[in-house]
Amino acid sequence: GFDPALGMSGTRVAYGEETEVQYRMRKDGIEIGYDPEWVIYHLVAPYKLKVEWFFKAGFAWGATGFWFIKTVRMYFTCSWFC
């Protein structure tokens, strides 16, 4: 399951729950794939299209990245994560 310390909850803006699950799956030897035929539509709330949200979300992404560096000990390669 998802780590409750990550992701959106109530008014908390946070990310990383899906990335953390994928990390654990890879660590356990589970293969993760990609299917270019899939199309996924996300419903985006109007407030998430405002500049204020981009700043708030950007800060949350940075905090999530710090959490991964601290917790996962740089499992991800620096070519895209650092």
Side-chain angles (χ1 to χ4, degrees), residues 2-41:
F2 291 108
D3 183 338
L6 299 172
M8 305 283 186
S9 179
T11 59
R12 181 181 71 202
V13 178
Y15 298 95
E17 68 277 18
E18 294 171 6
T19 305
E20 193 267 341
V21 167
Q22 290 180 35
Y23 160 74
R24 287 190 283 125
M25 290 171 68
R26 287 181 178 149
K27 186 176 163 190
D28 292 343
I30 298 171
E31 187 174 333
I32 298 173
Y34 166 76
D35 187 340
E37 299 291 319
W38 284 22
V39 177
I40 298 173
Y41 296 95

Side-chain angles (χ1 to χ4, degrees), residues 34-51:
Y34 166 76
D35 187 340
E37 299 291 319
W38 284 22
V39 177
I40 298 173
Y41 296 95
H42 287 269
L43 298 176
V44 179
Y47 72 91
K48 289 186 176 183
L49 300 175
K50 295 183 180 179
V51 172

